[in-house]
Amino acid sequence: MTISTATTTTSPSRAPLAGFAAQLLLLATLAIFAGLSSWGWLSGIVFGAVLCGLLHRAALPALGWPNLITFGRAILTGGVTALVFSAASGVDVSAVLLVTIAAIALAMDGVDGQVARRTGTTTEFGARFDMEVDAFLILVLSVSAALEHGWWALAIGAFRYAFVAASWALPWLNAALPPRFGRKVVAAQQGVMLAVVVSGLLPSWLAVAALVVALGSLTWSFGRDIGWLYQASRVRETARNRWSATLVTQ
């Protein structure tokens, strides 16, 4: 993995530690101005510890600006996590505050990629880091939506993790997918729709309708990709069988 030294800003030993300190500072601020339950504190601390521990374990030469922006988004996601767990444990959490933090994290989603492309620092690690932060933020927002509209809404956030779990049993699901604009649109749609639903601005029936649309579009997107991956695996298997048969007849 190569990261341009022209845009590196901090060492791998300091970045996770500084990030964990920032996570604790955010949690303390939320506790003062919004109130956090013990479960909220615990979830936020665990999230920050796991996040910073994994970054430290990655042992990158340095973090460039794109990864630092993603790191900032991840820390905000830790704050959203703490607020959602606090709400789940009975604390009256401000929907405006929760959605504001989530909206900032969602808005920053396009920034890290743009910075990486413009500075020539696009890496496989950066793309995976960005994707994992997005997935977890969607999961936490779906939990918040599920608290109000039913646990079926949790399927929106759990979809990607179910796909990853399935790929352990079905290795052909790990093959590379062709880039598709529709996949990006659906992914962006999930965060926006969940944030709007969690804001409480929609009447209950419209919020449920938005969740159904989000889940339906996600099912279509994953279904299309799974179908493509299955067909590609069959093509590869057929090619291997023909190659084996050719070697035997020679």
Side-chain angles (χ1 to χ4, degrees), residues 29-31 33-35 80 83 93-104:
T29 302
L30 292 175
F33 293 100
V80 174
L83 289 172
V93 171
S94 169
V96 173
L97 178 61
L98 192 157
V99 172
T100 298
I101 297 175
I104 294 173

Side-chain angles (χ1 to χ4, degrees), residues 60-82:
L60 296 177
L63 286 180
W65 283 113
N67 286 333
L68 285 178
I69 294 171
T70 307
F71 199 8
R73 292 179 53 233
I75 291 170
L76 291 175
T77 299
V80 174
T81 301

Side-chain angles (χ1 to χ4, degrees), residues 149-191:
H149 302 288
W151 287 105
W152 63 271
L154 185 59
I156 297 172
F159 227 120
R160 193 231 168 210
Y161 294 98
F163 179 84
V164 172
S167 69
W168 297 340
L170 303 171
W172 52 268
L173 289 173
N174 289 311
L177 284 163
R180 282 175 172 166
F181 181 72
R183 187 186 305 121
K184 295 181 179 180
V185 171
V186 170
Q189 175 200 59
Q190 306 307 306

Side-chain angles (χ1 to χ4, degrees), residues 106 109 134 138 182-192 218 221:
L106 290 169
D109 185 22
D134 288 342
I138 294 301
R183 187 186 305 121
K184 295 181 179 180
V185 171
V186 170
Q189 175 200 59
Q190 306 307 306
V192 174
L218 197 61
S221 180

Side-chain angles (χ1 to χ4, degrees), residues 22-152:
Q23 185 73 83
L24 293 178
L25 179 60
L26 176 59
L27 294 176
T29 302
L30 292 175
I32 293 171
F33 293 100
L36 294 179
S37 69
S38 57
W39 283 108
W41 268 106
L42 180 62
S43 64
I45 291 173
V46 169
F47 175 87
V50 171
L51 167 68
C52 298
L54 290 175
L55 272 182
H56 180 73
R57 187 175 180 181
L60 296 177
L63 286 180
W65 283 113
N67 286 333
L68 285 178
I69 294 171
T70 307
F71 199 8
R73 292 179 53 233
I75 291 170
L76 291 175
T77 299
V80 174
T81 301
L83 289 172
V84 170
F85 272 77
S86 293
S89 56
V91 174
D92 186 15
V93 171
S94 169
V96 173
L97 178 61
L98 192 157
V99 172
T100 298
I101 297 175
I104 294 173
L106 290 169
M108 291 170 64
D109 185 22
V111 177
D112 45 13
Q114 286 288 340
V115 171
R117 286 186 288 271
R118 292 189 179 187
T119 58
T121 55
T122 302
T123 64
E124 183 179 349
F125 172 84
R128 179 65 181 271
F129 188 18
D130 180 63
M131 180 177 64
E132 295 300 340
V133 172
D134 288 342
F136 195 82
L137 179 57
I138 294 301
L139 176 62
V140 174
L141 288 176
S142 70
V143 171
S144 182
L147 290 174
E148 182 68 24
H149 302 288
W151 287 105
W152 63 271

